Amino acid sequence: MSERTPLLHYRLSTSVNEQSGEHQPCLPREAVEQSPAFSRRKSAHHSRPKKLSTFFGVVIPTLLSMFSVVVFLRIGFVVGQCGLYQAIAMFLVAYFIISMTVLSVCAISTNGALDAGGAYYMISRALGPEFGGSLGVMFFLANVCSSALYILGLVEAIVATFGLPEDGVSPAGSLQVLPAGYWWSLLYATGILLLCLLVCLVGAEIYAKASFIIFLVVMLVLATIFISFFAVRPRTILLPAAPPILNGTGPQPPTMANFTGFKLNTLLGNLDADYAVDYTTGTMMSFATVFAVMFNGCTGIMAGSNMSGDLKNPSYSIPRGTITAVIFTFIIYNLLSLMVACSCDRILLQRDYSFLRDINVWNPLVTVGVYSSTMSAAMSNLIGASRILYALARDDLFGTVLSPAKKTSGNGNPWMSVLLSWFLVQLVLFTGKLNTIASIVTIFFLLVYAAVDLACLALEWASAPNFRPTFRYFTWHTCVLGIVGCAVMMFLINSIYASASIAFMLLLLLLIHYLSPTSSWGYISQALIFHQVRKYLLMLDVRKDHVKFWRPQVLLMVSNPRSSVGLITFINDIKKSGLYVLGHVQLGDLDTLPSDPLQCRYDSWLSLVDHLNIKAFVNLTLADSVRHGVQHLLFISGLGGMRPNTLVLGFYDDCTPKDKLTDPALADATVPTQDPEDERPPYHFPALRASIDGKEEGNGENGKVMGPQEYVAVIADAMKMMKNVALARYFHQFDRASTISSSPGKGALYVDVWPVNLLRPDSSSYVDTCSLFLLQLACVLNMVRAWRHARLRLFLCVEEGRSLRGSEGKLGQLLKELRIKANVYTVPWDQQVALHWQRQGEAGKRRPSRQSRREEEGLGKKGLFEEEEGDDDYVNSFPSNATRLSDEYLSAVNRLILEQAHPPPAVRFLYLPRPPADTRRYTAYLRQLELLTKDLGPTLLIHGVTPVLTTDL
């Protein structure tokens, strides 16, 4: 090799030293076993036994990837600039960083059966397809560019040694016979790449044999170098020509330097740092620049793990082989640094980076070592790139884009991936010089190393019982140190390229997250979320709950989702970041069934949740009656401080349900299955009943009956359990998208609130617990983004001569203190109340209630929320005279509500009184609610049992 080989060539030739490996199919084991071709692939897999041992499969590839040409060309550069002390410190820091990653690799590789794919397989199976796919693409591109880098570096070295001079005349007896120039260099690079292609097309076995021959050559060259320090006598060496000094001023660079042999004075002169200008580039060196150049020679630690598909025992070979190679290269680097510092003048180290060739017992050996190691690195990266591409194609993370890369030969060699990788490398070769991307390629590899550390850290922090690697010489501290070390090195090498590579990874991550199919590899994020949620749930103390931080936590009972889409989406808006549970009762007795029938239903329910884009949990139960099932869910739903405080039920009426899951808009809501030939229906929900026949929707096929008596009993049970209750009627008419999109401008949506017990005309309270609960829920709905422009309309029912003094003003003041923006409307209802008292036979006269008297006297701030003992029970209870409420009165109130709806509201909130204490009155109670809400459109009848509003800060 020519003495004038520039430093940029050294950086180019050794900027990335990486992996190779034979990848086998990387499909998840579960998906493979379910595939129709599983048996055929399994037999084919066993017909190609893995043959590589620890030495041939791990030690040799890792050693060659870490040594490359660094051991021949950079030792003098590092010691000459930094001195022996700082050089050893640099190697210690660099190897500490990569050792942390090695520990993570060893831990993951011993945590079960490691399939082919190396770093990509480990990251994707530990962190999920998003991280695995994005880093896999970067890993593939880094290997492609790295292969081109090594080939171009080898071409430059060959041209420097055998190329014709610029005048085109070769000296007599000289070996400089090759023509030079861009196109000639491209031709030489293409020929070398074709040789690498032929080796890779044959397969991994021929590559392993070629690597072993190269390994023997490199070890022979190293042996002669160590021998030369003792056998070669001191000599003076001619230094390569340096760039001329500008204007001819200043001291001229020396032309000669000494190889002194082992001398104490030489060692003392090389102990301390002496940073100087790089003679090939004219750039002033510093600790950071030298460390960045040196660190490139310490990468390549995953070359052995990437051979996992061809190893006899990956879990045994990868830890032992990788650690052996790392320790061996560390010893060699430090020994060479010490010998160089003891025997070479600093001028020789700073001005001749290829001095090892000049002091060798046989000069051509070092040149052969440089050529062979560079050729090995180029071939290693080409075969590594092809295997990564093949693994990405088999995992179907990018759909049909990479389908051609799945093709393999009879012996399992992915020849199509090899050809695609070769084509990309050839394209990169046309650039001729890759100095600009040499650093970013190294950064790509460092990013992959950091991802491996992150994968191991996530597995350790998740504390999953199945993460129990046999290699235990690691902790989460080593993982964090590895991540930090890789990140620091990335930004030390080039902060701009580091930022760009991270941004590129995040872009790929988002792309794969939204476009790739669901995998069955398992998601580490789910394990981490479980770990953190459990910890915070334990910290959520129900004894510390405060009314200021109350939020709705809803259990919505769904009989059949086919008819409940509108209600499900509406309740999702009203939950205000609280707990939202979809509950369903399946009638049956587990004693008479062979297995739990609910387990196969969860997929359909969860698919419905995904399609409707709601944030809800699903809780199904098996019971002998709907009432008992609802009781079960109210008792057991939620954990700790996250339990439902509000029960929502569909109304019990004669409305014929409509199947919203058969709408064209929902036609694409299919349940994802692994088998594309599976023609199951979109959802496994029962067909709807044609009309009311007393059977519960979804359970009618079991012959179970839920009558009005049981329905009201469910309401009473919830109130006994101190749960707020809401009954939803006519929500089969509600379509969230059309309701919101139909509003042409701000304020076009209306939400009506009637905070008075319309079944108790003898009580006109607007400030009891239930009324305030209505106000709170209406306000919560108004805070949702889609409902933000809706206007709240609050209606006060008053009687002429008996109206509350200043009731409208008092209620307006209350709304102001509660920070609720609503328009208050006074509604006279004398005619409706008269119908009620005529039925009572009292000629329209009544004795004012205690609540009315208190409001007439005026209420202070405290009185708004604290009532006299017994008042709340009096107002909320089902009145004793309610059984004598006439149909005429209820119809009149119903018409009154309809008359105020100009324009009609999107939804109404009405006061729901308690069910009667006498269970024999349940049917009458339900009939009165039905008459009251007839033809009102989407309506919520709401009863609150707990305080939810406060004016305190």
Side-chain angles (χ1 to χ4, degrees):
M1 177 179 285
S2 170
E3 297 175 353
R4 294 174 174 80
T5 305
L7 177 62
L8 287 180
H9 161 61
Y10 307 154
R11 295 183 184 178
L12 185 68
S13 301
T14 60
S15 62
V16 183
N17 307 285
E18 261 306 322
Q19 304 86 338
S20 66
E22 181 77 20
H23 290 230
Q24 300 297 329
C26 293
L27 282 176
R29 192 178 307 275
E30 297 84 358
V32 172
E33 291 175 355
Q34 294 174 6
S35 172
F38 171 67
S39 300
R40 176 174 53 83
R41 291 202 301 268
K42 185 176 180 181
S43 61
H45 174 75
H46 287 295
S47 66
R48 299 189 298 271
K50 302 175 182 179
K51 297 180 179 180
L52 297 182
S53 62
T54 302
F55 182 73
F56 287 96
V58 182
V59 176
I60 290 179
T62 307
L63 281 176
L64 291 178
S65 295
M66 297 187 70
F67 271 153
S68 188
V69 296
V70 178
V71 72
F72 305 115
L73 300 177
R74 289 197 183 177
I75 290 297
F77 164 73
V78 173
V79 177
Q81 297 287 345
C82 302
L84 183 62
Y85 289 153
Q86 289 191 17
I88 293 177
M90 283 184 179
F91 282 114
L92 286 173
V93 172
Y95 271 81
F96 176 79
I97 292 174
I98 65 172
S99 295
M100 299 300 100
T101 303
V102 168
L103 296 179
S104 299
V105 171
C106 295
I108 297 177
S109 63
T110 59
N111 188 48
L114 181 64
D115 206 343
Y120 162 70
Y121 184 85
M122 288 187 281
I123 295 171
S124 61
R125 269 51 178 182
L127 296 182
E130 293 93 347
F131 275 98
S134 58
L135 289 165
V137 170
M138 299 179 68
F139 208 11
F140 166 71
L141 295 177
N143 275 276
V144 167
C145 296
S146 182
S147 180
L149 283 170
Y150 285 122
I151 292 175
L152 289 174
L154 178 57
V155 168
E156 290 184 8
I158 293 174
V159 171
T161 304
F162 300 104
L164 287 171
E166 294 181 1
D167 55 9
V169 180
S170 176
S174 173
L175 296 177
Q176 294 176 312
V177 295
L178 296 178
Y182 170 78
W183 292 106
W184 285 107
S185 296
L186 180 61
L187 178 62
Y188 303 150
T190 301
I192 296 172
L193 179 58
L194 284 175
L195 179 60
C196 296
L197 173 64
L198 293 176
V199 174
C200 294
L201 285 176
V202 173
E205 293 183 9
I206 188 67
Y207 163 75
K209 294 178 181 178
S211 297
F212 178 65
I213 296 174
I214 295 174
F215 170 76
L216 293 179
V217 173
V218 172
M219 290 300 103
L220 175 62
V221 175
L222 274 178
T224 60
I225 288 175
F226 279 106
I227 293 173
S228 298
F229 284 112
F230 297 94
V232 175
R233 295 182 179 182
R235 62 178 65 175
T236 301
I237 298 174
L238 180 65
L239 298 177
I245 302 297
L246 295 177
N247 301 326
T249 59
Q252 294 298 317
T255 59
M256 308 291 289
N258 296 320
F259 170 72
T260 64
F262 290 103
K263 287 188 177 181
L264 181 60
N265 290 336
T266 305
L267 175 62
L268 295 177
N270 288 325
L271 290 179
D272 297 322
D274 183 18
Y275 294 103
V277 176
D278 171 30
Y279 76 95
T280 62
T281 63
T283 304
M284 184 65 187
M285 294 290 101
S286 64
F287 181 88
T289 57
V290 175
F291 186 68
V293 171
M294 180 276 303
F295 187 80
N296 292 331
C298 300
T299 57
I301 55 175
M302 292 186 186
S305 62
N306 272 11
M307 298 295 291
S308 57
D310 299 282
L311 297 174
K312 293 180 180 178
N313 189 346
S315 297
Y316 175 87
S317 299
I318 290 176
R320 290 164 176 78
T322 304
I323 292 175
T324 300
V326 169
I327 293 175
F328 182 78
T329 56
F330 178 74
I331 293 173
I332 295 298
Y333 278 136
N334 282 278
L335 281 179
L336 279 177
S337 300
L338 178 62
M339 290 186 175
V340 165
C342 291
S343 60
C344 300
D345 284 344
R346 186 178 289 270
I347 295 298
L348 177 62
L349 300 178
Q350 290 182 343
R351 294 299 312 280
D352 186 2
Y353 299 148
S354 58
F355 72 97
L356 288 178
R357 180 182 62 83
D358 299 319
I359 68 173
N360 197 272
V361 291
W362 188 45
N363 294 358
L365 268 180
V366 175
T367 302
V368 172
V370 172
Y371 290 177
S372 59
S373 60
T374 308
M375 183 73 175
S376 171
M379 193 162 43
S380 169
N381 282 276
L382 178 60
I383 196 171
S386 65
R387 271 37 179 192
I388 295 170
L389 180 61
Y390 177 62
L392 286 168
R394 287 300 305 268
D395 286 341
D396 287 324
L397 296 182
F398 296 91
T400 58
V401 176
L402 298 179
S403 296
K406 297 180 183 180
K407 297 180 180 179
T408 60
S409 61
N411 62 354
N413 187 36
W415 62 271
M416 194 63 187
S417 294
V418 174
L419 290 177
L420 290 173
S421 302
W422 163 80
F423 177 73
L424 292 178
V425 174
Q426 184 64 57
L427 289 180
V428 177
L429 289 177
F430 276 98
T431 61
K433 301 287 184 179
L434 291 180
N435 296 334
T436 55
I437 65 170
S439 296
I440 199 170
V441 172
T442 303
I443 289 171
F444 274 8
F445 283 116
L446 286 173
L447 198 57
V448 173
Y449 297 162
V452 173
D453 288 314
L454 179 63
C456 188
L457 176 66
L459 291 170
E460 177 71 10
W461 275 356
S463 300
N466 282 320
F467 182 64
R468 44 179 184 271
T470 56
F471 182 88
R472 295 301 304 171
Y473 300 102
F474 79 100
T475 66
W476 67 269
H477 304 85
T478 62
C479 300
V480 171
L481 289 174
I483 295 172
V484 173
C486 291
V488 170
M489 276 308 306
M490 287 168 54
F491 286 93
L492 184 64
I493 292 173
N494 193 307
S495 58
I496 297 178
Y497 287 167
S499 302
S501 63
I502 294 175
F504 180 56
M505 181 201 71
L506 294 177
L507 180 63
L508 287 173
L509 189 147
L510 293 175
L511 182 68
I512 297 174
H513 175 74
Y514 287 107
L515 298 182
S516 67
T518 303
S519 74
S520 59
W521 306 338
Y523 293 82
I524 189 64
S525 59
Q526 297 301 303
L528 291 172
I529 290 172
F530 177 88
H531 187 268
Q532 292 301 110
V533 167
R534 180 194 62 85
K535 179 173 68 175
Y536 287 115
L537 275 176
L538 291 173
M539 296 171 61
L540 191 60
D541 192 344
V542 295
R543 296 169 295 183
K544 299 179 181 179
D545 284 346
H546 194 279
V547 65
K548 290 190 298 185
F549 306 112
W550 179 91
R551 67 181 71 235
Q553 303 199 82
V554 182
L555 170 62
L556 171 62
M557 296 304 303
V558 180
S559 177
N560 193 327
R562 294 185 180 278
S563 61
S564 305
V565 172
L567 180 58
I568 292 173
T569 55
F570 177 77
I571 298 301
N572 184 67
D573 285 338
I574 214 172
K575 70 181 186 302
K576 185 54 181 174
S577 303
L579 179 68
Y580 184 21
V581 181
L582 298 181
H584 174 73
V585 179
Q586 175 73 36
L587 299 182
D589 187 355
L590 196 59
D591 290 339
T592 62
L593 297 172
S595 62
D596 183 5
L598 300 177
Q599 297 305 314
C600 61
R601 300 288 184 94
Y602 273 98
D603 284 343
S604 293
W605 282 84
L606 294 175
S607 297
L608 178 72
V609 169
D610 293 338
H611 177 73
L612 296 180
N613 194 26
I614 61 174
K615 298 178 181 179
F617 300 95
V618 175
N619 208 346
L620 312 181
T621 189
L622 188 70
D624 58 353
S625 69
V626 175
R627 180 183 181 184
H628 290 163
V630 176
Q631 290 177 358
H632 296 168
L633 294 178
L634 286 174
F635 278 125
I636 68 174
S637 292
L639 286 173
M642 293 191 67
R643 292 184 178 276
N645 55 31
T646 303
L647 174 68
V648 179
L649 302 171
F651 200 80
Y652 193 95
D653 56 17
D654 294 335
C655 294
T656 301
K658 180 180 179 182
D659 192 344
K660 293 295 184 70
L661 295 185
T662 59
D663 288 352
L666 299 176
D668 60 341
T670 56
V671 178
T673 59
Q674 292 182 350
D675 188 353
E677 298 180 358
D678 192 350
E679 298 181 353
R680 295 182 298 173
Y683 296 104
H684 297 288
F685 301 132
L688 293 176
R689 54 179 167 79
S691 61
I692 285 290
D693 56 4
K695 296 181 180 179
E696 176 68 3
E697 289 180 34
N699 295 322
E701 69 274 11
N702 294 331
K704 298 296 182 179
V705 175
M706 181 183 179
Q709 191 80 8
E710 184 179 3
Y711 177 81
V712 179
V714 170
I715 301 173
D717 292 341
M719 294 181 183
K720 291 177 184 177
M721 300 169 68
M722 295 302 294
K723 305 294 183 184
N724 309 300
V725 178
L727 307 183
R729 190 174 192 190
Y730 294 120
F731 272 88
H732 64 279
Q733 303 173 2
F734 179 82
D735 187 293
R736 184 180 186 274
S738 61
T739 299
I740 295 174
S741 62
S742 63
S743 57
K746 182 177 180 181
L749 280 177
Y750 291 92
V751 176
D752 288 359
V753 182
W754 294 76
V756 64
N757 187 352
L758 298 174
L759 299 188
R760 283 298 304 266
D762 56 340
S763 173
S764 302
S765 172
Y766 290 92
V767 291
D768 59 48
T769 300
C770 188
S771 299
L772 295 176
F773 189 82
L774 263 71
L775 290 175
Q776 180 74 309
L777 283 191
C779 181
V780 166
L781 180 65
N782 199 205
M783 296 170 70
V784 177
R785 181 185 300 274
W787 295 83
R788 192 162 294 169
H789 297 308
R791 294 183 179 180
L792 299 185
R793 298 188 300 196
L794 190 61
F795 295 95
L796 285 96
C797 297
V798 296
E799 298 177 61
E800 184 179 355
R802 294 182 180 273
S803 61
L804 303 178
R805 186 174 56 213
S807 57
E808 185 174 355
K810 290 181 178 295
L811 190 56
Q813 180 63 28
L814 172 62
L815 294 176
K816 183 178 179 181
E817 293 182 6
L818 295 174
R819 293 90 59 203
I820 297 177
K821 186 177 180 181
N823 297 323
V824 180
Y825 297 90
T826 301
V827 180
W829 65 332
D830 297 74
Q831 297 179 359
Q832 291 77 15
V833 173
L835 290 174
H836 168 66
W837 291 115
Q838 288 173 9
R839 179 66 179 266
Q840 306 304 316
E842 297 183 15
K845 297 182 180 180
R846 62 184 176 89
R847 183 172 56 90
S849 65
R850 286 186 298 169
Q851 182 68 16
S852 301
R853 292 197 304 271
R854 291 179 63 238
E855 292 181 355
E856 291 180 17
E857 296 170 358
L859 294 175
K861 179 178 178 180
K862 181 177 180 181
L864 294 175
F865 299 97
E866 297 183 11
E867 304 171 14
E868 295 181 8
E869 183 179 359
D871 282 356
D872 187 59
D873 292 337
Y874 171 76
V875 172
N876 290 330
S877 63
F878 189 77
S880 58
N881 60 1
T883 56
R884 296 194 297 272
L885 284 174
S886 66
D887 292 350
E888 292 81 3
Y889 165 75
L890 294 171
S891 299
V893 173
N894 176 261
R895 288 192 300 272
L896 175 67
I897 297 174
L898 288 172
E899 289 170 359
Q900 307 303 317
H902 300 290
V907 66
R908 287 182 175 89
F909 290 76
L910 299 185
Y911 192 113
L912 174 68
R914 285 180 177 271
D918 187 354
T919 59
R920 293 174 297 178
R921 306 297 183 186
Y922 279 179
T923 303
Y925 168 80
L926 184 58
R927 183 174 180 277
Q928 291 168 359
L929 296 180
E930 183 177 2
L931 290 174
L932 179 66
T933 58
K934 183 178 180 181
D935 298 326
L936 291 185
T939 302
L940 277 185
L941 287 160
I942 302 171
H943 184 90
V945 298
T946 55
V948 294
L949 283 172
T950 179
T951 58
D952 295 335
L953 181 64

